[in-house]
Amino acid sequence: MAALTLRLLFFFFFLVFLTSAHDSLSARRQAAVLVSVKQSFQAPDPSLSTWNLSNYMGLCNWTGVTCDAYNKSVVSLDVSNLNLSGPLSPAISELQSLVNLSVAGNSLFGDLPLSNISGLRFLNISNNLFSGCLDWDFSGLPELQVLDAYDNNFSCPLPVGVTKLTKLRHLDFGGNYFSGRIPRGYGGLNQLRFLSLAGNDLFGFIPGELGNLSSLKWLQLGYYNRFDGGIPGDFGRLSNLVHLDLSSCGLEGPIPGTLGNLKNLDTLFLQTNQLNGSIPPQLGNLGSLKSLDISNNALTGEIPVEFSALKQLTILNLFINKLHGQIPESIAELPKLEALNLWRNNFTGFIPPKLGQNGELIKLDLSTNKLTGQIPKSLCYGEKLEILILLDNFLFGPLPDDLGKCETLSRVRMGQNYLSGPIPDGFLYLPKLTLVELQDNHFTGRIAFEKSTASSKLEGLNLANNHLSGDLPTSIGNFSGLKNLVLSGNRFSGQIPSEIGYLKGILKLDMSRNNFSGTIPSDISNCPSLTYLDLSQNQLSGPIPIQLARIRILNYFNVSWNHLNQSLPEEIGSMKSLTSADFSHNNFTGSVPETGQFLFFNSTSFTGNPYLCASYLIPCNSSSDLQSQVKTQSSKSNVPARYKLIFAMGLLLCSLVFVVFAVIKTREVRKNSRSWKLTAFQKLDFGSEDVLGCLKDSNIIGRGGAGVVYKGTMPNGHNVAVKNLGISKGSNDNGLSAEVQTLGKIRHRYIVRLLAFCSNKETNLLVYEYMPNGSLGQVLHGKSGGYLNWETRLKIAIEAAKGLSYLHHDCSPLIIHRDVKSNNILLDSDYEAHVADFGLAKFFHNNGASECMSAIAGSYGYIAPEYAYTLKVDEKSDVYSFGVVLLELITGRKPVGNFGEEGMDIVQWVKVQTKRSKEGVVRIIDERLKNNVPIEEAMQVLFVAMLCVEEQSVERPTMREVVQMLAQSKQPNTFHIQ
Ligand code: ATP
Ligand code: MG
């Protein structure tokens, strides 16, 4: 018996010995695997220093490593967001016990040798540089045929090998560079709870087989993927789905009614596709739905009444569609609705009167519809309403009094309606209010500025084109935060109070088209930030106070159509920023000063002042001369009407003759215009025939406002880009060829070189050096924007800034670009930036992308405010546009587009979002760069950008300063800029 016990004991100890020997061996092997995984990373993160073979016994405490408590094998590896780059070593496949693996948020690429780790349940490789082109060993996988059948040769497909990992519950391939179709085999991973393939380059139809993933709770397929066809009806079988996000991925066709079967869904995001047809009433069955966003599609029809059953709904976004009909009353009764955004549709009828009575409403935007009736009284019932935007409808009646007590309000935009009555007491003093737009309505009465004790946060107040009357009270001075105050087109009267000088931050002050009388208060000169001052069409009298000349940054000054008198102060001419001034139709006397800015003002700026003299008005001889000339002028204007008629008919006849002549001449010119002339700006190995040979449709690489751009290969093998300006307005006149001669002389590393100019009588061709990576705009706003890491973006910013700085500071005369934008920053094969298309925009302004401002050369979203006001441009307008490019680089967003509110652009959006705080910056950084941006650098670049987009041009830095500031923002040791 004792012997048996002894033997058993011996056996037990032997077993223990064996097990521990096995454990330590296994630990050593696993440690070796992890060390080789670490070695395959380029410059591994310091936090991986614990991954050291000499410390293999402590394996389970290594960074990111979790072991099984019982047998100490590695079950979980989390190396997410460690700034790792390089491939994932194949050795990892030896970690057979691995259950969880996350390498998310790094810059990893290459193979994913994971298909043998059959116990894997959680796999997250999101936000890396993986693309299917080099990846995965597909051998022996039946799905390979599927892949062959559905993927063309050109794609870098999603790994089919993943279908072997049948225990997978969480699969995140989002934010990588896989392209091609989604393998149907993914529909066999029936344990999956989470699947994200969002933010890749996927295309083709979404396979209906994904509808077999019956355990799935979370499905995300959108963003940058560009699918064919629509949403598979089979998704209606994903009965456990809680979150479905198919936004921004080119989906067409109707929303399948089967989605109404997804009873557990709390989020449905289908926004920014091309979905059409009507909203299926079955969506009303989604009783758990909290967020529904189907905005920015082409949906038609009405909001289904069945939506009344969406009792959990908090956000309903239907904006930018073609929906019509009434907003159902039942929407107003949804108990939890916080945000209702229905703007830019064709909704008619009334705003449901009960809207807001649920006590939860925070944001309401119904702008640009055809809504009529009155504004409901209860919008702020729950005292939560922050944003109220109803602009551009047919609303009438008063602003409800209750809005005057809605202390949570911050933005109110109600312009372009038929609203009437007074502005409620206290409304403008609401403590959080920053923007009030009530322009183009029928508001009457005085504005209640009287409550003098409160201070206000108001930055923008636009009351233009109403019927407001009475004095502007002295308490206007309480609104010291105002930046824009527009009171034009009302019936305000009385003196302009001197307290207007308390508005220290005011940028734009427009009091035109009112009945203001008395003198212009000299206190306006206490507003140092004023860039725009319009006092025209009032009853003002007296002189222009010379103190106004102290506003060094005023751009626009209009006092026309008043009764101002005395002489024009010479000091006004010393205001260097003043590019547009209008003194016309007053009673000014004396001579127009011939100094400073007066030399540049348009002569029409002085007309209608009978006692004002200048060489281009009435010569300054003697006062009696003046009087008589005034008489002569007025008698001239009394020409009998029949002479006027004869004159007009004569003019018409002449115009007709001229047109006929011009047509004949044009035909002649066309016949004789075959001879081409090539002006080379450097030694060239090609001639005009070679350039003309490029003009084939198959060579087109881009189209812009000015014309088509072709790629061409010259006989010496060099590539060029040929821009065909076509029969442009400026083709043979207006100094285009002279300008081109100047531009051709410019040589700078960061400026696209103009090689030659090739023209005949009809056509102008500009031959540029070819930039293989296209424009920054295309790259940044395309899928490959993710490849543009922060360092490259900063490098591009500095290089482009250097190019512009050269144009501004090193060329004589200086060259204003006039169309700085990301599409005009081209990238060579090393992603080095080269500024393009400088100096020419003025020749093509009518063709440009700026839809609403045809007189402006430049592109919508990039145009400096003073340029829009005054049509005058200087190099600081370029600085503004460059600031917009910097914001694009930081945020990855286009300068105009969907910023969640009608009319908002990137500059306003960034201001609202960031308030220049650190947390704010984190919020706006391009999602694709997340975790890979040195935040201090981003803050600094944002700071520079915000300086560049300052409203007042003098407050913007010069391009030379921009270069310096950007170079300083670079933290040491990241890259070297020459
Ligand atoms: P706009 O006409 O308002 O300036 P744009 O800059 O987009 O708009 P273009 O300058 O005509 O228009 O250029 C159109 C496209 O042609 C560019 O986006 C770019 O992709 C391509 N392109 C232009 N010049 C070159 C070049 N030198 N090398 C390579 N691609 C070029
Ligand atoms: Mg261009």
Side-chain angles (χ1 to χ4, degrees), residues 255-270:
I255 299 173
T258 51
L259 294 189
N261 301 337
L262 308 179
K263 295 281 170 7
N264 294 313
L265 211 59
D266 77 12
T267 302
L268 179 57
F269 285 163
L270 305 177

Side-chain angles (χ1 to χ4, degrees), residues 723 821 823-824 836-837:
K723 188 178 243 189
K821 58 178 174 176
N823 273 355
N824 281 338
D837 288 347

Side-chain angles (χ1 to χ4, degrees), residues 701-702 704-706 709 721 723 769 771 778 819 821 823-824 826 837:
I701 49 171
V709 183
K723 188 178 243 189
E769 62 177 326
M771 294 285 140
Q778 285 168 324
D819 197 11
K821 58 178 174 176
N823 273 355
N824 281 338
L826 302 181
D837 288 347

Side-chain angles (χ1 to χ4, degrees), residues 778-800:
Q778 285 168 324
V779 177
L780 190 60
H781 304 305
K783 178 58 184 71
S784 29
Y787 279 123
L788 276 189
N789 59 27
W790 175 252
E791 286 173 16
T792 317
R793 291 183 194 207
L794 185 49
K795 185 175 88 72
I796 288 171
I798 295 174
E799 290 163 352

